[in-house]
Amino acid sequence: MQANSHYYAIIEQMTEGNMWLNDTVGVIPKNAWAIDPFGYSPTMAYLLRRMGFENMLIQRTHYELKKELALHKNLEYIWRQSWDVDETTDIFVHMMPFYSYDIPHTCGPEPAICCQFDFARMRGFMYELCPWGEHPVETNQENVQERALLLLDQYRKKSTLYRTNTLLIPLGDDFRYISIDEAEAQFRNYQMLFDYINSNPSLNTEAKFGTLEDYFWTLREEAERINHSLPGEIGSGQVGGFPSLSGDFFTYADRQQDYWSGYYVSRPFFKAVDRVLEQTLRTTDMMMAFLLGYCQRAQCEKLPMGFSYKLAAARRNLALFQHHDGVTGTAKDHVVLDYGTRMHTSLQDLQIFMSKAIEVLLGIRHEKNDNNPSPFEPEQVRSKYDVQPVHRAIMAREGTKQSVVFFNPLGQTREEVVMLIVNRPDVTVLDSNWTCVQSQISPELQHDKSKIFTGRHRVYWKASVPALGLQTYYIANGFVGCEKAKPAKLRFFSKSMSISCPTPYACSKAEVDVAEIQNRHQILTFDVNHGLLQKISYKNGSQNVVGEEIAMYSSWGSGAYLFKPNGDAQPIIEAGGQMVISEGPLVQEVYSYPKTAWEKSPISHSTRIYNGENTVQEFLIEKEYHVELLSQDFNDMELIVRYKTDIDNKRIFFSDLNGFQMSRRETYDKIPTQGNYYPMPSLAFMQGSNGQRFSVHSRQSLGVASLKNGWLEIMLDRRLVKDDGRGLGQGVMDNRAMNVVFQIVVESNISATSNPVSNPLPLSPSLLSHRVNAHLNYPLHAFIAKKPEELSVQPPPRFFSPLAAPLPCDLHIVSFKVPQPLKYSQQPIGDSRFVLILQRQNWDSSYCRRGRSGCTRFADETVNLFYMFKELSVLNARATSLNLLHEDTDMLGYTEQFGDVAQDGRVLISPMEVQAYKLELRPHK
C-alpha cells in the first residue's frame, strides 16, 4: 500500500512475488496494474522502473486532479522522480479517468449506460442489478446495431480524454469471473458487439479483446508513428508524445470532501508490528547470509537450511500485509486477526532462529544442530499477536553474571546508550574484555496512576557494536572491581496524591510550576501542572518554543478510510496530573501521567534526553506516548499530539514517502482539515526562513499536518463506531494499548539554503536525520543468556565483526541476503547465491556539522565489494535489477557505471539510487 508501506517492504514484496511468477509460470512482468491503492507514491514508480517495468496503470487519484489532467489530455504521462535531471527514472503511466474501476465507470463517462454492458448483471446471475434502473440484456441480431452504437458512443466520449487513437476499456470488478457461465456471458455478448463494429468500416473503429501488455504495446507503436506532443511540453526520451510529471497523489478524495486520510493512522498497533517484522526479517536475512557464507560444509548448513521454509513464510506474511487493506488498517476484524497472527508467528520464528544464529556467529559452537535449544533468548518477548512486547528481566543473583549480546544491523559502527530491565538494582556492567562500563539504574515506569513504578529497574550504559556485527556485555552482581550502576535521582510533582519512593533511589518532592532536564546540548522546560514540554534552550543561549499539546478530534463521518472531524481538535490535558523526573549520568527522563476528563487517562508519556559522546542520541529528544483508546468513552474520537513551535514555516512542511524520499506539503485554506493531512511513514519536518528545522522521526506509519504556522501535529490513534461507506462494512473499534515513539531533532543550518516557501522541490533530510532514522528503524537486537554464569568464570572476548571497514556514513544496506534459501544447496557453487542491495542517501549539506560526529567516509568515493568483508571473499559480483530478474542493466535506467562491478568490484552510487548486486561468498582459506 503506497502511503503506509516502507520501501524495504515494497522491494521484498515485489521480489518475492516476481521471482515466484518467474519460477512458477516463467513470466517476468513488465506492466504494473494497481487500481485500488488509495493514492499513489512516486517511490513505487522508481522501484518499478529499477525492476525492469516499463508501464504502470493507476486509478484512485483525487477527482479534481483527474479533471485537470483530462482537460489537457495528460492522463497518460511519464512519471519522473523529483531529483532526476537525467531522465533515468522515467516510466510510462496510464491513469484511469473516472470514479471507479468497475464496468459502469470504465466504458465511458455515463455509468447508467455502461452498466448495461456488464453482462454479469443480467437476471440469473448473483450480482446486483444496475442501480440506475436500466439493466443489461442479451445481445442478438435484432438489437446488436442499437447496442453497439450506444456502447461505441461511450468509447468515443472516453477517447476524447486521451491523446492517442488507442483506447483501453477494462472489463471487470471485485470478486468477478468466478464461474465459466459468467465469463462466457461477457465474452459472448462482447464478441457479437465487436463483430458488428469491426464489420462496418464507416464506424472507423477496430474493437478487440486484449491484455494490458497488448494495450501498452499498441500504444507505444502508435507513439512511434505519430507525434502527440503539445507545443512547449517537456517530454521524455523514453516514449515521445507525452508530458513528464513529478510528485505524488496524496491525499486522495473520491467525492466532495471525502478525503482518505484516516487510513494513514487506522490500526496503528499493527502498523507498528509491520515495521518490527521488517527489521527482524532484514536482520535474520543478514545472519542467514553470514552463516552460509562462512560455512563450506554440509554440517553447518543444517541450521540455516532447516529454517529456510519459515524464512520464506515470513517474507510472504510481510508481503501479504502490504496489501491495500492490510498495513492501511482497513480490513475486517477477523482479517486483522489473521494478518496479526501471521506476523506474530513469523516474528517468533525469526527470533528463535536469530537466537541460534548468534551462538554460531560468536563461535561458541560451530556445528549447530537445529534441535538443541539456544543458550540465548530475545530480550523482548510478545506473548500474543495483539499485545506490546515486554522486556525480559535479568535476574542478577549475587556472585553471578548474565551475558547480553547485541546485533547491529547497520553498515556503520554504532555507539548507543542501551537499556535492559533488571530485577535487582545492585548491578555492574562489564564489556566483553571484562572492563568496567559506566552505567545508570532507573526505576521502570508504567501507565497506571495508582502504581507508576513496576518494581523492576532499567539499567543503561553506552554500548559499542561493530557494523553488521555482534558484541557481548555482562550484567554482574557482586563484581568487586567495578563501580555499581548509579541510581537516578527522582523528583516528584503531584498535587493530587503522594507517590512513594522506590528503593534504592533518593527522592524529593517539588512544588514548582516549571521544571527542567538537561544534557550537554539542550535544556528542556516543562509545564509541571500539565506535564507537557514547553521549550528547548541551547547552551549557546538560543531557544525554541515547542508547546506540546495532546488533543482529540471528535468526528461525525470518520471511518477506517475517511477522516471527517467536527472542527478543530480540543486539548484534553487538565492541570493536576502526576509527573516524575528521573535524572542520572546517562539518561534524564520526565514521565507524565496527566489528569484528563476520564478516570483512566487515554495517554501517558515520557520525554528522554541522553548523554553519551559520539552517539546520535545526544542531539535528540525522545518522546514515548502510551496510548489506550480502549473504552466506549473514546468512541468517534481521534487522538493527536501537536507541537506548537515558533518556527515560521508558513504552513509548509515535508513528509516522507515510504521512508525513501521527502515530499513538500503545503496547507490550503480552501480544503478541509482532512485534506491537509498527509502520510508520515517515518519522518516529517518544518523549516523556517532562518534555516531552523524541526524534525520528528517515527518508527511506524502515521498521519501528519501543519494546520497553523509553526505547528506540526501527528495523529496517534482513532476509534470509530461507524462504517464510512467505502466497502469495509464496520467501524474501527479493536484498539490495542500501544506505545508510539518519536525522536525529535532541532537543527539550525550553517549555510544559506533554498527557501522552502518559493522552492517547489522537496528538501532532503540532514545527515543527522538519516542517522537518527536508521537507529530508530533498525534498532540493535538484544539477546540474553538464559542461564547466569558464576562470576569466577571469565570467558574469552566474544564478538563478531565481519566488515573490513565500516561503510560510508550515507551508504545504507537495504538488504544482504540469500534470496532463495530453499534452493541454496541445489544451486551450483559458481552461481551468485547472495544478494546485496545498497542505497545512497541524499542529505542536505547545509546541516552537516552535528551529524558528522563519527562519520569519516562518504559514498562519493567508491566502495569495493570484493574487499568488503574480513574473512569472506566476494566472487563473481554482478549488477542486477531490484527484483533480481534482469542481468541486462541498461534497461533499468541506471547511469553508465552501474554494470561494471564484475571487473574490479568497485561500486559508485549516485545519491537517491538503490542498486542490487548478486554475489557469491567464500570463506578465506
Side-chain angles (χ1 to χ4, degrees), residues 647-654 664-666 685-693 749 753-763 844 847:
I647 289 173
D648 179 22
N649 74 323
K650 306 272 192 290
R651 298 195 300 174
I652 291 164
F653 69 105
F654 300 83
R664 180 182 185 275
R665 309 297 187 190
E666 190 167 343
F685 64 78
M686 309 185 278
Q687 186 171 320
S689 44
N690 59 356
Q692 280 250 306
R693 189 180 279 192
N749 59 8
T753 53
S754 69
N755 180 354
V757 178
S758 56
N759 177 12
L761 288 174
L763 300 179
D844 188 330
Y847 292 86

Side-chain angles (χ1 to χ4, degrees), residues 41-43 79-84 245-248 652-657 660-666 683-687 693 753-766 770 842-847 912:
S41 167
T43 306
W79 205 342
R80 180 174 300 164
Q81 299 303 312
S82 61
W83 68 83
D84 177 14
L245 304 176
S246 291
D248 64 89
I652 291 164
F653 69 105
F654 300 83
S655 60
D656 72 312
L657 292 163
F660 177 67
Q661 60 179 315
M662 301 306 295
S663 185
R664 180 182 185 275
R665 309 297 187 190
E666 190 167 343
L683 169 65
F685 64 78
M686 309 185 278
Q687 186 171 320
R693 189 180 279 192
T753 53
S754 69
N755 180 354
V757 178
S758 56
N759 177 12
L761 288 174
L763 300 179
S764 294
S766 65
H770 279 303
N842 189 31
W843 47 283
D844 188 330
S845 57
S846 56
Y847 292 86
M912 291 307 296

Side-chain angles (χ1 to χ4, degrees), residues 391 393-396 420-426 441-448 450-459 490 499-505:
H391 294 277
I394 290 183
M395 318 273 186
L420 289 178
I421 299 294
V422 287
N423 272 8
R424 296 171 46 171
D426 43 349
I441 196 109
S442 303
E444 186 185 36
L445 304 165
Q446 66 184 357
H447 176 80
D448 181 346
S450 58
K451 186 176 180 246
I452 284 179
F453 301 114
T454 65
R456 307 196 301 177
H457 309 269
R458 295 173 177 166
V459 60
L490 305 184
I499 308 171
S500 54
C501 184
T503 326
Y505 303 97

